[in-house]
Amino acid sequence: MSILSISFLELCMHMIWPVSCPVCGAVGRLLCPSCLGDLMKNPPLPRCLWCSGTVPCGTHADTVPVHAGSLYGGDARRVILMLKHGGYRALGLRLGRALAEVFPVPALDVLVPVPLHRRSPRRYNQAEAIAGGLGEVWGVDVWSAARWSYDVRTRMGMDAAGRRALPHDVFEVDGQIAGLRIALVDDVCTTGSTLARLAEACRERGATLVGAFVSARTPSPWVLYPISTT
Ligand SMILES: [Zn+2]
Ligand SMILES: [Zn+2]
């Protein structure tokens, strides 16, 4: 990455706290283009959101395929942690653009990112940043149409067990989403629960789920609590 391709804010941050590529360690680089390319050169097969099985899913005719640029772990994990905790929104845009190069443009009307948790200390939504990169390349609008109904982290806890047990009413979705073909976007899919609850909420509002796109997904199968889709 050339110094001219980073934002003024990033430049200031770099002067105060020099960055290095989270993959190869090159100093002064947020993420080398070649490292980003390597990260997504072997995207894993899509998985059914409801059962993490292969798609098309033999169990769920209404499957929502989860498309990931890579498996979560190692370099992918380091990059996502830098995006979430390092303050580099541009990293999300770049991950989104890279994702858009990996997958053909689906037939859809709008991208809906997973919202930031209530009272999150983050200055930006990393899922929205990734959606921005995807939408830019695909020519699709991003609509932050969802929000958390309450502070789920204090109510349910932040561990994997708490996330799997997310209640069905955790998301509120704008009713104007009715009739639209949408794809959900998040930085990472680990338990599948967040995306599943958001998918349900969007469907209840009358949207058609085309799929979910994440920068990385867990290599492990995920087991959701019973979901009312058969
Ligand atoms: Zn690098
Ligand atoms: Zn399934």
Side-chain angles (χ1 to χ4, degrees):
M1 170 186 283
S2 90
I3 201 86
L4 295 174
S5 65
I6 63 177
S7 71
F8 178 70
L9 178 61
E10 285 170 348
L11 182 60
C12 292
M13 290 183 71
H14 173 72
M15 292 171 74
I16 298 166
W17 192 272
V19 296
S20 59
C21 173
V23 176
C24 73
V27 176
R29 295 184 173 195
L30 193 51
L31 177 62
C32 315
S34 58
C35 289
L36 177 56
D38 286 348
L39 210 59
M40 296 192 185
K41 68 181 177 188
N42 292 311
L45 291 172
R47 295 284 176 185
C48 170
L49 176 57
W50 311 123
C51 69
S52 77
T54 54
V55 290
C57 178
T59 307
H60 302 101
D62 66 342
T63 186
V64 175
V66 178
H67 302 279
S70 66
L71 292 177
Y72 190 59
D75 292 339
R77 180 173 177 275
R78 275 192 289 278
V79 170
I80 288 170
L81 289 180
M82 191 169 175
L83 165 64
K84 289 171 84 163
H85 305 297
Y88 296 100
R89 184 178 184 278
L91 206 47
L93 289 169
R94 294 182 59 200
L95 285 171
R97 290 180 194 131
L99 262 182
E101 300 294 342
V102 170
F103 300 105
V105 189
L108 82 169
D109 300 306
V110 71
L111 292 162
V112 177
V114 170
L116 264 189
H117 280 282
R118 288 187 173 227
R119 293 206 288 272
S120 171
R122 292 196 190 118
R123 292 182 291 103
Y124 58 88
N125 178 356
Q126 70 276 5
E128 202 173 85
I130 293 170
L134 266 172
E136 178 188 300
V137 176
W138 282 350
V140 176
D141 288 338
V142 176
W143 184 12
S144 297
R147 61 184 180 140
W148 292 88
S149 305
Y150 41 82
D151 188 356
V152 70
R153 294 187 296 183
T154 54
R155 195 181 292 193
M156 306 299 299
M158 291 179 64
D159 60 1
R163 292 201 301 274
R164 274 197 296 273
L166 282 178
H168 288 267
D169 64 347
V170 285
F171 287 112
E172 294 169 358
V173 177
D174 192 317
Q176 292 187 27
I177 207 169
L180 297 181
R181 300 166 300 173
I182 67 166
L184 306 181
V185 181
D186 206 357
D187 52 348
V188 60
C189 175
T190 48
T191 67
S193 176
T194 303
L195 285 171
R197 293 294 178 261
L198 182 53
E200 289 174 317
C202 290
R203 274 194 174 152
E204 282 167 14
R205 284 296 198 176
T208 299
L209 268 293
V210 170
F213 291 86
V214 295
S215 181
R217 71 157 167 84
T218 176
S220 312
W222 56 82
V223 181
L224 294 173
Y225 277 46
I227 285 178
S228 57
T229 56
T230 51

